[in-house]
Amino acid sequence: MNDEDNKENESGSGISRRDFLKVSGISLGVPLVMGHRVIKVAGADVKLYGPGKTPITLEINGKRYPSEVEPRATLLDTMRNQLDITGAKRVCDRGTCGACTVIMDGHPVYSCSVLAIEAQGKQITTVEGLAQHDSLHPIQQAFIDNDGQQCGFCTPGFVVACKAFLDKNRNPTPEEVKKGLGGNLCRCGTYIGVRAAVLQAAKAHGAVKGGGQHG
Ligand code: FES
Ligand code: FES
């Protein structure tokens, strides 16, 4: 790499401005395969999606959902607008409020900040995946028992965040609960009820471990 390339690669991304310009110039001439082009950047294969729709399959609450999305579509918008899975709510749409929280491969994520194409191959759980038939998940029941909601708009995100939190910490202290749910905001201020709900659900011990099976 010459001095010019070094200077261009100061961002540390591994891709210089020259690489990017080369990619931009050639990408339209490379055939589409399964909705993406494979190009070489700095010697490595890179998948290039878009600008049109790309076929994807998402795995949500144990079901497979084939769909077609533009590469810029978020997981949240794809679930809500195309798959009719509307439990996760769109509030800030910028990763600050937690209303859109889902569990992806065991970790809570803001689905407004994950691209749908990135979510392929991951196991996604939304609030719809917690109850079994007519039986609420113990966390959902605990929210009801402890008045953990007012308008309820933040509640699906909170319930899912609680599930992810309790899966990792089955016997939390009140202080740990407060910190563990720090990524979710409630404009109605129902934090006391929410925290009490988490402690009640924690007492239901093993009943809150695992996904979708009241486990
Ligand atoms: S809508 Fe995703 S964090 Fe607020
Ligand atoms: S219950 Fe209204 S925003 Fe939380």
Side-chain angles (χ1 to χ4, degrees):
M1 191 181 279
N2 60 32
D3 283 352
E4 193 182 343
D5 281 335
N6 277 332
K7 222 182 288 167
E8 287 176 342
N9 196 22
E10 276 168 0
S11 69
S13 65
I15 299 175
S16 69
R17 235 178 317 155
R18 175 172 296 174
D19 289 331
F20 178 75
L21 292 172
K22 276 187 207 158
V23 168
S24 310
I26 64 169
S27 61
L28 294 178
V30 180
L32 270 178
V33 181
M34 297 293 288
H36 64 264
R37 298 174 174 85
V38 178
I39 56 168
K40 290 269 184 214
V41 177
D45 283 349
V46 172
K47 285 183 186 173
L48 193 67
Y49 292 89
K53 290 192 171 179
T54 298
I56 63 167
T57 299
L58 297 173
E59 294 180 42
I60 304 173
N61 302 326
K63 278 209 238 164
R64 288 169 64 80
Y65 290 87
S67 185
E68 286 201 354
V69 297
E70 291 181 11
R72 64 187 176 131
T74 64
L75 173 60
L76 176 64
D77 286 346
T78 302
M79 290 192 301
R80 292 185 58 81
N81 301 338
Q82 295 196 36
L83 308 180
D84 206 20
I85 300 171
T86 56
K89 300 292 184 261
R90 194 177 199 257
V91 177
C92 69
D93 202 27
R94 56 179 60 194
T96 58
C97 75
C100 64
T101 303
V102 301
I103 298 174
M104 195 159 83
D105 278 356
H107 303 289
V109 297
Y110 295 148
S111 60
C112 70
S113 302
V114 175
L115 293 175
I117 56 173
E118 291 178 311
Q120 290 186 92
K122 319 263 189 200
Q123 297 297 323
I124 297 159
T125 302
T126 70
V127 72
E128 289 94 337
L130 299 186
Q132 294 294 300
H133 309 295
D134 292 334
S135 170
L136 290 177
H137 189 281
I139 294 174
Q140 293 171 308
Q141 187 59 53
F143 266 71
I144 294 170
D145 295 345
N146 293 278
D147 283 336
Q149 66 280 314
Q150 287 187 48
C151 78
F153 211 72
C154 69
T155 308
F158 258 111
V159 168
V160 172
C162 290
K163 170 82 168 66
F165 171 71
L166 288 173
D167 282 349
K168 294 217 162 73
N169 187 347
R170 298 173 70 169
N171 291 299
T173 64
E175 195 53 33
E176 286 170 338
V177 170
K178 196 170 163 187
K179 277 196 188 148
L181 298 182
N184 289 65
L185 301 178
C186 172
R187 285 165 181 78
C188 299
T190 56
Y191 295 106
I192 290 176
V194 167
R195 288 171 199 155
V198 178
L199 291 172
Q200 174 180 314
K203 281 195 194 129
H205 71 89
V208 289
K209 184 77 181 157
Q213 303 296 321
H214 289 199

